[in-house]
Amino acid sequence: MCGNLLETRDLRVEVNGVPILGGVDLEFKPGLVYAILGPNASGKSTLAKTVMGLPEYKITGGDILYNNESILRKTITERAQLGIAYAFQTPPSISGVKLDDFICRICPDYQCKAESDTLMGETCASKSELYDNFERLGIRNLAKRDLNDGFSGGESKRSELFQVLSMRPKIMFLDEPDSGLDYDSLKVVGRELRALREKGDTTLVIISHHRYVLEFLEVDKVYILQQGRLVYTGDMNDIPALEEKGYEKFLEEVTG
Ligand SMILES: Nc1ncnc2c1ncn2[C@@H]1O[C@H](COP(=O)(O)OP(=O)(O)O)[C@@H](O)[C@H]1O
Ligand SMILES: [Mg+2]
């Protein structure tokens, strides 16, 4: 318990009256990198969305602690202010909100000078740094587009990553940050996450099936969920066997 940035204790969650998580205990320590794996529909996204506080995910038991204090009564905004961030598996699009303007609003380094100012590019002190970051992520062309509106799969994943990175969170849940990415985009995402790991002041929780990103990041701990429960805790050494055998056979062997 001691030394955890975030933990879930016997977390039980239902959606529309259907139980999804059946008592999950997970621990996340500061600065480490975690992978949450598991077959489709095992509750990985549900877990991350529940930690973030999305309203349709109803907690029916257990607790979520951040720095040893329950956050169950906190709103999404309050959780984000504490330093928790979630990058969606499928990022929602928001018409009328420009990506660069949005980044300006959420990033502590890019504060706009006036509340009424929507043309942040013209007034933001750190304009050039902001645009350097757009370039680095290969999405400079998206800066003036509406948030995720008509973005390709790979573009929306990189835009989503940029948004979450801009919030400077203490712990980020990245829900399949590599899905739908071509090799070049995968490298970009891998490089960004690796740089974050090397800095060491952010806890990364990666939901992914992609060996490349997990190996590139040197994940410290692997949690496997199945049917809404934590069924296995391991590390990177398990990945080759998992890949070879598939979840069913791997779990059968390790859990008996
Ligand atoms: N908003 C929702 N409405 C209805 N069912 C949901 C909702 N979110 C998740 N579920 C269901 O919960 C189960 C777990 O889903 P999810 O957490 O997305 O799994 P994973 O991310 O592991 O693939 C699935 O059966 C899914 O259909
Ligand atoms: Mg999912």
Side-chain angles (χ1 to χ4, degrees):
M1 179 189 93
C2 193
N4 291 325
L5 177 63
L6 190 138
E7 62 183 285
T8 65
R9 279 195 199 159
D10 194 27
L11 187 64
R12 292 160 193 272
V13 175
E14 63 177 43
V15 183
N16 298 328
V18 179
I20 309 290
L21 298 183
V24 175
D25 293 273
L26 296 177
E27 297 183 347
F28 303 100
K29 298 199 183 300
L32 294 190
V33 180
Y34 296 83
I36 299 183
L37 307 178
N40 294 328
S42 55
K44 305 180 297 295
S45 297
T46 298
L47 178 96
K49 289 176 183 174
T50 305
V51 169
M52 197 67 244
L54 269 65
E56 61 268 47
Y57 296 84
K58 188 165 176 278
I59 295 175
T60 54
D63 208 345
I64 305 170
L65 306 183
Y66 185 81
N67 283 330
N68 296 321
E69 280 183 29
S70 176
I71 56 166
L72 294 195
R73 289 178 171 276
K74 297 204 182 291
T75 62
I76 299 178
T77 308
E78 288 167 338
R79 293 179 198 203
Q81 285 164 345
L82 281 175
I84 304 170
Y86 172 64
F88 282 88
Q89 184 170 353
T90 310
S93 62
I94 308 175
S95 297
V97 177
K98 304 280 178 240
L99 179 58
D100 62 357
D101 202 17
F102 185 70
I103 298 276
C104 172
R105 304 285 165 184
I106 60 176
C107 176
D109 293 351
Y110 300 125
Q111 294 298 333
C112 292
K113 283 180 182 161
E115 236 347 91
S116 59
D117 173 33
T118 52
L119 295 169
M120 63 68 60
E122 304 310 315
T123 57
C124 203
S126 306
K127 180 184 169 190
S128 68
E129 195 196 329
L130 173 67
Y131 280 89
D132 285 350
N133 290 337
F134 267 117
E135 293 284 357
R136 212 181 57 243
L137 282 157
I139 51 171
R140 174 70 181 83
N141 59 317
L142 305 179
K144 295 286 174 202
R145 296 257 306 269
D146 285 4
L147 205 63
N148 297 323
D149 200 8
F151 290 8
S152 75
E155 285 177 336
S156 67
K157 295 306 271 190
R158 277 178 289 159
S159 141
E160 182 77 357
L161 178 64
F162 189 19
Q163 290 161 45
V164 169
L165 292 175
S166 299
M167 294 166 74
R168 311 277 189 264
K170 293 263 179 270
I171 179 165
M172 55 170 85
F173 289 81
L174 301 170
D175 204 342
E176 305 202 10
D178 42 18
S179 69
L181 297 186
D182 61 27
Y183 293 121
D184 305 83
S185 303
L186 198 57
K187 273 195 185 143
V188 170
V189 168
R191 204 181 54 212
E192 287 300 310
L193 297 179
R194 175 77 188 216
L196 210 61
R197 186 209 213 312
E198 279 164 6
K199 267 192 178 165
D201 49 9
T202 311
T203 302
L204 287 169
V205 186
I206 317 282
I207 298 169
S208 170
H209 301 283
H210 219 297
R211 192 173 163 158
Y212 172 83
V213 163
L214 300 180
E215 286 181 346
F216 196 75
L217 273 174
E218 293 170 25
V219 166
D220 296 299
K221 205 170 210 183
V222 171
Y223 291 129
I224 301 182
L225 298 187
Q226 189 183 36
Q227 294 180 348
R229 289 174 187 274
L230 175 67
V231 290
Y232 182 74
T233 301
D235 58 32
M236 279 308 293
N237 297 322
D238 295 313
I239 301 291
L242 196 53
E243 191 174 62
E244 189 200 316
K245 294 171 183 168
Y247 286 111
E248 205 174 322
K249 190 150 179 269
F250 177 86
L251 290 172
E252 223 175 74
E253 287 179 12
V254 294
T255 58

